[in-house]
């Protein structure tokens, strides 16, 4: 599907628009299928969005919350994507604990964690090994290097085609991450991008030609909607002249 790009004057407007976009899709998913599956991104950009979601009036028992990637650290670690969302959002709303599916980070080997999360995700969707779950919403960010989730440039994770979850590698630091096959089954993939530091990567991601091994975010081509929500600082070079 052709990407839809919306550029907002500042971060506050960006977060307000992202909240509206996500809440609308949550209600649509629940009205159609009585449930909504969301995979969260990490990093700093989505934090105010998660804080805003904590104030939303949503059918919390109908939401299933997953993570699209995770640093391989305990939940109590300041770098934990789960820990951040839990602190600013999930601890503040009456969502059943059974509906929250953090990526495991306690196995000795990250590969075992990836395999376990794949099992948990398939089970939650009631699917057999070999099937690919369709997430209603997958939230994503991009790094200054053009990575998304924990699919970093020139890493083996970019080529994984037969698994849903794999081990990412950020400068030797292990991550757990969705793979492109899982990302690209999404009903709606939403990139939330803010700040001038993202301009060069965005220019390459939106260039007519390019290589997903250099700019992995180019590889996100979901079967459903692809929405890019940017602030003006990030989207300056993409804005129509
Ligand atoms: C992570 C994220 C990652 C993030 C980008 C942007 O675990 O770090 O999932 O893909 O979205 O690195 O991070 P910022 O929002 O902090 O710029």
């Amino acid at each position: 599907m052709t990407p839809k790009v919306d550029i907002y004057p500042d971060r506050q407007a960006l977060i307000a628009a992202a909240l509206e976009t996500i809440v609308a899709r949550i209600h649509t998913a629940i009205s159609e299928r009585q449930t909504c599956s969301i995979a969260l991104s990490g990093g700093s950009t989505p934090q105010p969005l998660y804080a805003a979601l904590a104030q939303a009036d949503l059918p919390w028992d109908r939401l299933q919350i997953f993570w699209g990637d995770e640093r391989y650290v305990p939940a109590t670690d300041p770098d934990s994507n789960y820990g951040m969302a839990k602190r600013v959002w999930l601890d503040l709303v009456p969502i059943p604990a059974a509906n929250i599916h953090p990526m495991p980070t306690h196995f000795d080997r990250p590969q075992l964690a990836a395999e376990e999360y794949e099992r948990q995700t398939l089970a939650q969707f009631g699917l057999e090994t070999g099937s690919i779950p369709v997430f209603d919403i997958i939230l994503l960010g991009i790094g200054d290097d053009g990575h998304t989730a924990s699919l970093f440039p020139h890493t083996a994770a970019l080529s994984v085609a037969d698994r849903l979850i794999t081990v990412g590698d950020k400068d030797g630091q292990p991550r757990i991450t969705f793979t492109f096959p899982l990302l690209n089954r999404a009903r709606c993939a939403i990139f939330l991008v803010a700040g001038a530091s993202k301009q060069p990567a965005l220019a390459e991601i939106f260039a007519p030609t390019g290589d997903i091994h250099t700019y992995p975010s180019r590889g996100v081509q979901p079967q459903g909607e692809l929405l890019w929500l940017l602030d003006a600082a990030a989207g300056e070079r993409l804005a129509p002249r």
Side-chain angles (χ1 to χ4, degrees), residues 175-241:
R175 300 280 191 94
I176 307 299
T177 185
F178 278 20
T179 60
F180 281 129
L182 181 53
L183 290 173
N184 287 335
R185 291 282 289 164
R187 280 195 182 86
C188 181
I190 303 174
F191 279 95
L192 187 68
V193 186
S197 71
K198 306 293 170 72
Q199 278 185 25
L202 281 170
E204 296 292 344
I205 292 162
F206 280 86
T209 59
D211 169 24
I212 75 162
H213 289 272
T214 308
Y215 292 97
S217 299
R218 292 179 65 93
V220 177
Q221 303 292 336
Q223 67 166 355
E225 293 180 282
L226 176 55
L227 309 180
W228 286 84
L229 305 181
L230 316 176
D231 71 356
E236 189 177 280
R237 297 191 207 177
L238 301 182
R241 295 285 174 221

Side-chain angles (χ1 to χ4, degrees), residues 150-192:
S150 282
L151 298 168
F152 289 89
H154 308 298
T155 59
L158 301 179
S159 304
V160 175
D162 60 346
R163 304 306 300 261
L164 304 177
I165 312 292
T166 195
V167 179
D169 173 351
K170 179 179 183 178
D171 306 329
Q173 294 302 314
R175 300 280 191 94
I176 307 299
T177 185
F178 278 20
T179 60
F180 281 129
L182 181 53
L183 290 173
N184 287 335
R185 291 282 289 164
R187 280 195 182 86
C188 181
I190 303 174
F191 279 95
L192 187 68

Side-chain angles (χ1 to χ4, degrees), residues 8 11-25 46 49 52-53 139 190-192 227 229:
Y8 298 89
R11 285 195 192 221
Q12 187 177 359
L14 172 67
I15 296 302
L19 177 68
E20 185 181 337
T21 299
I22 291 165
V23 167
R25 280 157 185 77
L49 170 61
L53 279 162
L139 288 179
I190 303 174
F191 279 95
L192 187 68
L227 309 180
L229 305 181

Side-chain angles (χ1 to χ4, degrees), residues 11 40-47 68-71 79 81 139-145 147-152 170 175-176 192-194 197-198:
R11 285 195 192 221
L40 303 183
S41 65
S44 56
T45 304
Q47 189 163 331
D69 76 312
E70 184 60 273
R71 294 83 182 274
D79 279 350
N81 290 336
L139 288 179
L140 295 165
I142 67 166
D144 295 356
D145 61 358
H147 82 261
T148 190
S150 282
L151 298 168
F152 289 89
K170 179 179 183 178
R175 300 280 191 94
I176 307 299
L192 187 68
V193 186
S197 71
K198 306 293 170 72

